[in-house]
């Protein structure tokens, strides 16, 4: 493990580390905010969206203020494997590097490196348990857009590991929208039966989480109608009985300005669920 | 005037505009946060540091939350003239574009465009008065690093226009440090007598402001010992009788993580002074 940067903020420390991922066969960067003096703290994993690295959330969301106040550690990993040996697309922001979709790819040439589900669920959580002053029994997960998809699916499949969940502007039904269909076909192949395992709407009809899921979605989000489709997940939750608080926010878009506005609500949601 | 972007945040609007500057002979971008529903609001001008544009403060400082709560408009201009016709240096981040130093240059080839003092003091304030829902009698100024230098000098020279002042990690004695000496020699020439007009330490020995100046400076700031030298200004204020609250903050560096931590204190300082 290598320490890349370390900056004091709100009395705590915002650090960036690099550590080895076997699942992704590369070194991965991960950002960590640690409030001053915490021990056995609750911990959140933040999953970012398309094109992001570990930097976007820690520089733009303004989450450290409330995390310091609540005594929560926040871990923000990168969104895909990285390195010259990792395959990529030349002209697509929504596939390849920066677009790992929090799944384990089965198709060549992606399968060797694009195993973000295993990385987040097993390797990153093990790294957190070994290196951070947290209580692993109090871990939540949240994210934005593609990272909202990651948070919902990882929570629904592992509710005992990621006990609380929330999302901003998540891709809730990837099997039914272009962003998800293109990613799933590339990473998982054309057999749509394999897609359901990474589709929050499909998952929530099969298995329920005891936690109440919080979702904020901006009504002026340019991606809402085509790619996000909050309505599909809202209907699935209602039909299956999954507890969810889904808030459609007038005037807000897909940007970090939206996230910054409501991140305090999300941290309080997790703090209450992990108390 | 052209509207470039507009995003809802904390109930208000973060916008970016482009308008013509005669002083800089170019179009200038300026960012504006306007809380929801304000009228005759107090207004702050934020001046950024070396290499910044109008983007850094609005994406990284987290100021909109408290500005919305206090009902303050915040205007963040760019740090230099821009455009292909504007001269620049090839290899220097501290001179040319992104390094306007909030002065009116007298030396060729800079004098035609690098007139940031006139731009901020006259043109930007006129634009604010014509376009924003503010009370021009309640205007303050603040900034970071090179922008802290700009805020201090513009305030000390125009205390009736910029009634309140604060700074993060300011260059307080540019005539005595490498960043300032290199900039002043390039923009103003070798005659050091002309430099005092843009040196907060020189200004504060000659003229006092009735306002209490707030300064926050991180003790782990890599630029403190060579370029910032808060101690020189602190001594000058003590000797001249200028009211100032100068806080040396252990562990903090020169980054926006530092600014984000204390921006609330600064906005409250201005709100109280402009009440």
């Amino acid at each position: 493990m290598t320490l890349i940067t370390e900056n004091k903020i709100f009395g705590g420390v915002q650090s960036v580390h690099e550590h080895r991922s076997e699942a992704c066969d590369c070194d991965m960067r991960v950002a960590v905010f640690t409030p001053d003096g915490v021990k056995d703290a609750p911990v959140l994993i933040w999953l970012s969206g398309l094109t992001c690295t570990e930097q976007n959330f820690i520089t733009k969301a303004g989450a450290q203020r409330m995390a310091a106040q609540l005594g929560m550690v926040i871990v923000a990993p990168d969104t895909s494997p990285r390195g010259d040996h990792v395959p990529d697309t030349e002209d697509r922001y929504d596939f390849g590097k920066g677009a790992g979709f929090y799944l384990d790819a089965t198709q060549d040439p992606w399968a060797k490196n694009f195993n973000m589900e295993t990385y987040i669920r097993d390797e990153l959580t093990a790294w957190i348990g070994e290196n951070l002053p947290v209580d692993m029994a109090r871990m939540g997960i949240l994210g934005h857009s593609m990272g909202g998809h990651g948070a919902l699916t990882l929570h629904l499949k592992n509710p005992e590991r990621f006990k609380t969940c929330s999302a901003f502007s998540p891709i809730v039904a990837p099997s039914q929208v272009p962003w998800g269909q293109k990613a799933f076909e590339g990473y998982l192949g054309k057999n749509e039966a394999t897609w359901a395992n990474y589709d929050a709407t499909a998952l929530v009809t099969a298995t329920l989480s005891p936690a109440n899921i919080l979702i904020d979605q901006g009504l002026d989000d340019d991606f809402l109608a085509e790619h996000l489709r909050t309505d599909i997940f809202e209907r699935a939750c209602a039909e299956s009985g999954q507890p969810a608080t889904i808030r459609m926010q007038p005037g807000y878009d897909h940007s970090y300005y939206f996230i910054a506005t409501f991140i305090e609500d999300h941290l309080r949601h997790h703090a209450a669920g992990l108390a």
Side-chain angles (χ1 to χ4, degrees), chain A:
Chain A
M1 177 175 88
T2 311
L3 178 67
I4 306 295
T5 58
E6 199 171 44
N7 302 85
K8 188 168 179 181
I9 176 169
F10 287 102
V13 176
Q14 180 62 61
S15 54
V16 174
H17 309 263
E18 199 166 80
H19 69 137
R20 179 75 193 165
S21 164
E22 297 304 328
C24 297
D25 189 29
C26 71
D27 292 335
M28 293 291 288
R29 291 210 169 174
V30 53
V32 178
F33 174 69
T34 311
D36 185 37
V38 294
K39 230 180 81 175
D40 298 325
V43 55
L44 301 183
I45 295 180
W46 168 274
L47 302 180
S48 283
L50 288 166
T51 78
C52 290
T53 69
E54 84 291 344
Q55 286 293 314
N56 302 64
F57 178 74
I58 65 175
T59 54
K60 294 182 169 182
Q64 296 96 342
R65 182 184 64 86
M66 188 49 50
Q69 194 170 311
L70 296 170
M72 305 184 87
V73 170
I74 307 185
V75 177
D78 202 348
T79 57
S80 79
R82 302 281 179 181
D84 291 342
H85 64 296
V86 173
D88 198 7
T89 55
E90 294 245 328
D91 51 356
R92 287 182 58 184
Y93 73 95
D94 58 358
F95 194 78
K97 287 181 186 172
F101 270 87
Y102 306 103
L103 51 73
D104 286 354
T106 58
Q107 305 299 299
D108 286 332
W110 314 103
K112 185 168 168 52
N113 302 99
F114 284 76
N115 295 300
M116 289 295 290
E117 179 181 37
T118 295
Y119 167 66
I120 301 287
R121 184 194 59 215
D122 299 342
E123 293 184 331
L124 180 63
T125 54
W127 182 86
I128 290 170
E130 285 161 22
N131 293 285
L132 304 180
V134 302
D135 176 1
M136 293 297 284
R138 293 196 290 156
M139 178 177 290
I141 196 162
L142 73 170
H144 174 232
S145 196
M146 175 183 75
H149 146 74
L152 291 171
T153 53
L154 281 159
H155 169 67
L156 288 168
K157 291 159 82 170
N158 311 278
E160 67 303 317
R161 180 162 302 186
F162 307 111
K163 290 202 169 64
T164 52
C165 179
S166 73
F168 292 87
S169 334
I171 304 171
V172 295
S175 305
Q176 302 180 51
V177 304
W179 268 348
Q181 290 165 338
K182 289 192 286 179
F184 285 2
E185 186 169 325
Y187 291 129
L188 302 173
K190 294 191 186 219
N191 179 2
E192 295 187 19
T194 66
W195 298 5
N197 188 37
Y198 294 111
D199 184 304
T201 296
L203 288 168
V204 88
T205 61
T207 169
L208 298 186
S209 147
N212 184 61
I213 297 171
L214 172 63
I215 292 177
D216 273 311
Q217 173 62 52
L219 281 170
D220 278 12
D221 186 327
D222 287 339
F223 304 111
L224 174 56
E226 187 175 8
H227 295 292
L228 305 178
R229 295 294 310 272
T230 323
D231 59 304
I232 299 178
F233 188 67
E234 188 163 27
R235 205 159 47 239
C237 286
E239 284 170 10
S240 72
Q242 172 63 45
T245 301
I246 298 175
R247 311 191 301 188
M248 305 304 282
Q249 302 284 5
Y252 287 93
D253 59 29
H254 201 66
S255 70
Y256 266 87
Y257 294 117
F258 171 53
I259 296 170
T261 303
F262 296 105
I263 191 70
E264 175 172 340
D265 290 357
H266 284 241
L267 297 198
R268 290 187 184 282
H269 166 81
H270 288 274
L274 299 171

